[in-house]
Amino acid sequence: DTEVTQTPKHLVMGMTNKKSLKCEQHMGHRAMYWYKQKAKKPPELMFVYSYEKLSINESVPSRFSPECPNSSLLNLHLHALQPEDSALYLCASSQGRGENTEAFFGQGTRLTVV
Amino acid sequence: AQSVTQLDSHVSVSEGTPVLLRCNYSSSYSPSLFWYVQHPNKGLQLLLKYTSAATLVKGINGFEAEFKKSETSFHLTKPSAHMSDAAEYFCVVRYTGGFKTIFGAGTRLFVKA
């Protein structure tokens, strides 16, 4: 199984809403990632978890709150988002860090903030 | 400093003709290099990776790439384009010993019938 599963596929939320994005992998990978991708741009790294601990936060606003409940799951909690946060949010996982540890990506959640 | 440059923002080919997508990297160390493909509104799929075991890397769907250290290049090729190859392609460099990856700006491949 080389799948990273993200739910929901699409999400529309108001600026006062609270919602969560979910990501799951069963490849035994110990690193998990959140990326944000705007139209016609490459993905931008947001967060990295390694062994269920937050390893990298790329100065992401606090209205995005990641959580890694266990080695297979990764959540992204959303609160008080702005319309400019509308984007494709991609989850990825890898065996670890360093060379030759390619990342496997999910299909993404298309988020629209209204 | 590490960086990745994809030399063409758009490439257009006819079906059945060769594909060449160009990528140059800058790295102080021996890099890990990858090519990913992204179809519209989809996630990224790994096409191939450079593992330092062989300079010519074969990937899925008939794609291959050649690592040329002297030219700091990792160009992606395919002998014969298919309509289903139309997508966005990203060249990616990964830091040795770290989690961060650097994405190129992407190359949109158009395939004409």
Side-chain angles (χ1 to χ4, degrees):
Chain A
D1 181 5
T2 57
E3 272 198 9
V4 176
T5 303
Q6 290 187 244
T7 55
K9 287 187 170 43
H10 301 275
L11 178 63
V12 179
M13 62 183 290
M15 289 188 284
T16 58
N17 290 160
K18 286 184 181 182
K19 297 286 185 184
S20 297
L21 309 185
K22 297 187 185 302
C23 174
E24 190 168 5
Q25 58 89 13
H26 295 288
M27 295 179 277
H29 289 172
R30 302 317 299 261
M32 296 186 76
Y33 312 73
W34 281 115
Y35 286 85
K36 174 182 178 180
Q37 187 179 25
K38 301 286 276 184
K40 302 187 191 302
K41 296 289 187 184
E44 299 174 3
L45 184 65
M46 300 174 72
F47 302 104
V48 180
Y49 273 82
S50 173
Y51 289 87
E52 300 158 48
K53 291 189 182 340
L54 185 62
S55 181
I56 294 176
N57 176 344
E58 290 287 281
S59 303
V60 178
S62 60
R63 57 185 184 270
F64 295 92
S65 175
E67 178 196 20
C68 189
N70 60 54
S71 60
S72 300
L73 292 174
L74 185 66
N75 299 321
L76 186 63
H77 302 298
L78 314 172
H79 174 54
L81 294 193
Q82 303 297 309
E84 58 264 29
D85 296 320
S86 299
L88 182 68
Y89 287 84
L90 294 163
C91 175
S93 70
S94 70
Q95 286 182 353
R97 67 174 81 202
E99 353 186 298
N100 309 326
T101 52
E102 65 270 28
F104 292 85
F105 285 81
Q107 294 295 292
T109 294
R110 173 71 62 188
L111 175 67
T112 303
V113 181
V114 297
Chain B
Q2 282 80 359
S3 66
V4 180
T5 303
Q6 291 184 242
L7 297 164
D8 307 290
S9 60
H10 299 86
V11 169
S12 183
V13 301
S14 297
E15 191 174 23
T17 64
V19 175
L20 170 64
L21 305 183
R22 298 182 294 166
C23 173
N24 285 99
Y25 69 92
S26 170
S27 175
S28 303
Y29 309 100
S30 191
S32 296
L33 293 160
F34 309 87
W35 275 98
Y36 284 86
V37 60
Q38 185 176 34
H39 288 90
N41 296 311
K42 298 290 187 184
L44 281 73
Q45 180 183 21
L46 180 69
L47 280 177
L48 48 81
K49 63 179 181 179
Y50 168 65
T51 64
S52 75
T55 56
L56 183 62
V57 182
K58 293 189 184 299
I60 62 170
N61 300 335
F63 284 95
E64 61 182 40
E66 186 171 7
F67 174 71
K68 291 187 177 180
K69 187 174 181 178
S70 61
E71 299 176 10
T72 61
S73 69
F74 190 57
H75 300 336
L76 182 70
T77 60
K78 183 174 180 177
S80 176
H82 191 272
M83 295 297 288
S84 60
D85 294 327
E88 188 84 22
Y89 291 79
F90 292 102
C91 181
V92 176
V93 173
R94 193 177 181 100
Y95 290 115
T96 298
F99 289 112
K100 288 195 178 184
T101 53
I102 301 175
F103 281 79
T107 299
R108 170 71 66 176
L109 175 65
F110 296 93
V111 182
K112 298 175 289 188

